[in-house]
Amino acid sequence: MKKKKVCGLWSLPDAVVVNCLAQLSRLDFAALAIASKNHRSLVVSPELRDLRWQQRCMEPSLYVCLRIFPEPSPRWFILHPMQRWLKPIHMDLYQAPKSASSFVVMGCGICIIGGLVDGKPTSEVSFFDCFEHRWYRMPPMKMARASASASLMTDSKIYVFGGCGDDVANSSNWAEVFDVATLTWDFLYVFTPKMPLNIQQSVVMIKEKEVYVVDEDGQNFSFSPSKCMFVARGKTDSIPGNIYRNDWCVIGTFLFCRGTRGRILWCLPYELHWKEVKGLEELQQWGFDITKLCTNPAGNIVIFWKPHPLSLELWSIEISISLVKRRRNGREILGKIEWSGAVFKLDPLIDSSYSLKVLSADYVLA
């Protein structure tokens, strides 16, 4: 009998192959996956993912969820790092996020928590694995919620506040906590200065190990998992109508958010005295509203915008920031546009009646 000649990767021990592949980029994985089914099964194997995580070889990739009206279900995309273009993610078992869902980055994926189904809150929770590009159903919450505040803390637990409606909310069901280790939900009794506490914005302050929130009245509070209570900080949002400042995020010791008419604002977390990021006047001259704001691992701000409300084109801008101290005006933060360009476009001949909305944009290590 003639023996089949084995060459290339398959001539090496499995452990050696996985260790070599762990050093490659995800672009290399994409090229390798089209070589054969065996190569594809190897690059998406759990063993390779776990080794990359242990060796800290995971790469940050930007995942964007777009609602393209009038399509019934949102679509997921990944930003190609070289082409800077949103590539569609094709999944066999697609679990569409609902409207008013909460998105939390956890490990190498994204948790989609609650939301609205047929106009009613749901307790469903799903996990999108950004390495395998597959959906997994997670244990549901004990309470149906929509537009809740959800945060992953350093104790590897997800804390969810509100979203269950003022008519049913009370101190016993207003908060839940998800233990990532045991995959279980439990109600969490949390002391709050007032009930219901209708949270409008929330961010995780990693250094302080707190969740920082602002309610509908502009009052700010902080939640500490160790104390299991919200503490009023005694400050009020300096600009009325805080619903116009969305997508709060933290860079260093500063808070950033998107305002109206292309403005990006910043403040110190526990002061809430908002100021405009300088040096970005051309954004306002373009006359557009920012549709989404997030931060990347480099500490830069990434925004998405459309040239006009009915545009079928989506643009992105990456902005670096720097702190400047001035004698008269105190501290100022300057922004500098590092890159800008279109990242997505619908075919106007086919999709002329469509419209775009960015539901989420998150960097995930995968």
Side-chain angles (χ1 to χ4, degrees), residues 167-365:
D167 54 336
V168 296
N170 56 58
S171 57
S172 64
N173 63 19
W174 182 76
E176 288 189 54
V177 59
F178 179 72
D179 192 320
V180 177
T182 62
L183 298 178
T184 55
W185 287 96
D186 287 301
F187 282 123
L188 184 69
Y189 180 83
V190 178
F191 173 80
T192 60
K194 59 181 180 179
M195 178 60 70
L197 178 61
N198 294 316
I199 298 174
Q200 294 295 317
Q201 299 292 335
S202 63
V203 291
V204 176
M205 309 298 293
I206 298 178
K207 185 177 180 180
E208 292 80 5
K209 297 181 180 180
E210 293 179 340
V211 179
Y212 178 79
V213 307
V214 175
D215 72 354
E216 61 183 356
D217 299 321
Q219 295 180 321
N220 63 337
F221 306 85
S222 61
F223 169 78
S224 171
S226 60
K227 300 177 181 178
C228 204
M229 63 184 298
F230 277 90
V231 177
R233 288 291 181 170
K235 295 290 183 179
T236 303
D237 200 328
S238 62
I239 306 176
N242 64 79
I243 59 174
Y244 298 109
R245 286 179 304 289
N246 297 310
D247 300 338
W248 290 27
C249 60
V250 179
I251 300 179
T253 58
F254 300 99
L255 279 181
F256 293 86
C257 72
R258 59 181 172 97
T260 58
R261 300 179 181 178
R263 295 185 303 163
I264 299 175
L265 307 177
W266 70 275
C267 73
L268 290 171
Y270 302 106
E271 293 183 4
L272 281 184
H273 182 64
W274 292 98
K275 299 179 181 179
E276 185 178 341
V277 175
K278 302 297 183 180
L280 302 174
E281 287 74 15
E282 62 179 302
L283 298 185
Q284 301 174 32
Q285 294 175 0
W286 292 343
F288 64 85
D289 277 333
I290 301 170
T291 60
K292 201 67 181 177
L293 181 148
C294 65
T295 60
N296 64 15
N300 293 341
I301 294 174
V302 178
I303 63 174
F304 293 89
W305 61 280
K306 296 187 294 182
H308 57 82
L310 299 179
S311 176
L312 299 179
E313 195 172 46
L314 184 67
W315 279 59
S316 180
I317 301 177
E318 182 176 351
I319 301 169
S320 61
I321 59 173
S322 59
L323 176 65
V324 177
K325 294 184 178 181
R326 304 187 188 278
R327 292 184 179 180
R328 293 184 178 180
N329 300 326
R331 289 177 291 191
E332 286 187 352
I333 288 184
L334 301 180
K336 178 184 177 183
I337 296 178
E338 300 291 344
W339 180 88
S340 67
V343 293
F344 181 76
K345 185 177 182 180
L346 289 171
D347 188 342
L349 297 178
I350 300 176
D351 309 310
S352 58
S353 61
Y354 283 35
S355 61
L356 298 172
K357 181 181 180 180
V358 182
L359 296 182
S360 72
D362 295 290
Y363 279 87
V364 182
L365 290 174

Side-chain angles (χ1 to χ4, degrees), residues 3-13 17 32 36 38-39 42:
K3 292 185 178 181
K4 185 178 180 180
K5 187 178 180 180
V6 180
C7 61
L9 285 175
W10 312 118
S11 64
L12 301 173
V17 172
L32 193 61
S36 70
N38 289 336
H39 287 84
L42 185 59

Side-chain angles (χ1 to χ4, degrees), residues 42-265:
L42 185 59
V43 298
V44 298
S45 64
E47 293 80 11
L48 180 59
R49 177 188 58 190
D50 295 342
L51 184 60
R52 281 170 60 82
W53 187 269
Q54 294 171 9
Q55 297 183 355
R56 298 184 179 181
C57 298
M58 308 293 265
E59 304 167 73
S61 298
L62 179 59
Y63 286 83
V64 178
C65 183
L66 293 181
R67 184 67 187 272
I68 304 175
F69 298 96
E71 293 182 0
S73 300
R75 301 189 207 171
W76 283 85
F77 298 81
I78 182 173
L79 184 68
H80 193 285
M82 303 300 294
Q83 300 174 4
R84 289 186 178 265
W85 191 260
L86 291 177
K87 301 290 186 178
I89 299 174
H90 302 288
M91 293 170 283
D92 295 333
L93 299 175
Y94 179 71
Q95 178 67 35
K98 301 87 181 169
S99 61
S101 295
S102 303
F103 298 81
V104 176
V105 176
M106 185 180 73
C108 60
I110 303 173
C111 279
I112 294 85
I113 301 173
L116 294 174
V117 176
D118 297 328
K120 297 181 180 180
T122 178
S123 60
E124 293 181 6
V125 181
S126 301
F127 179 75
F128 174 45
D129 190 312
C130 294
F131 185 81
E132 300 178 358
H133 287 177
R134 293 183 59 186
W135 284 99
Y136 293 92
R137 188 177 296 275
M138 298 181 66
M141 294 180 289
K142 293 181 177 295
M143 196 78 177
R145 302 174 188 272
S147 299
S149 167
S151 304
L152 176 65
M153 297 299 291
T154 53
D155 59 357
S156 297
K157 294 181 180 179
I158 297 177
Y159 293 84
V160 181
F161 305 114
C164 49
D166 295 349
D167 54 336
V168 296
N170 56 58
S171 57
S172 64
N173 63 19
W174 182 76
E176 288 189 54
V177 59
F178 179 72
D179 192 320
V180 177
T182 62
L183 298 178
T184 55
W185 287 96
D186 287 301
F187 282 123
L188 184 69
Y189 180 83
V190 178
F191 173 80
T192 60
K194 59 181 180 179
M195 178 60 70
L197 178 61
N198 294 316
I199 298 174
Q200 294 295 317
Q201 299 292 335
S202 63
V203 291
V204 176
M205 309 298 293
I206 298 178
K207 185 177 180 180
E208 292 80 5
K209 297 181 180 180
E210 293 179 340
V211 179
Y212 178 79
V213 307
V214 175
D215 72 354
E216 61 183 356
D217 299 321
Q219 295 180 321
N220 63 337
F221 306 85
S222 61
F223 169 78
S224 171
S226 60
K227 300 177 181 178
C228 204
M229 63 184 298
F230 277 90
V231 177
R233 288 291 181 170
K235 295 290 183 179
T236 303
D237 200 328
S238 62
I239 306 176
N242 64 79
I243 59 174
Y244 298 109
R245 286 179 304 289
N246 297 310
D247 300 338
W248 290 27
C249 60
V250 179
I251 300 179
T253 58
F254 300 99
L255 279 181
F256 293 86
C257 72
R258 59 181 172 97
T260 58
R261 300 179 181 178
R263 295 185 303 163
I264 299 175
L265 307 177

Side-chain angles (χ1 to χ4, degrees), residues 11-22:
S11 64
L12 301 173
D14 293 345
V16 176
V17 172
V18 173
N19 190 66
C20 291
L21 292 180

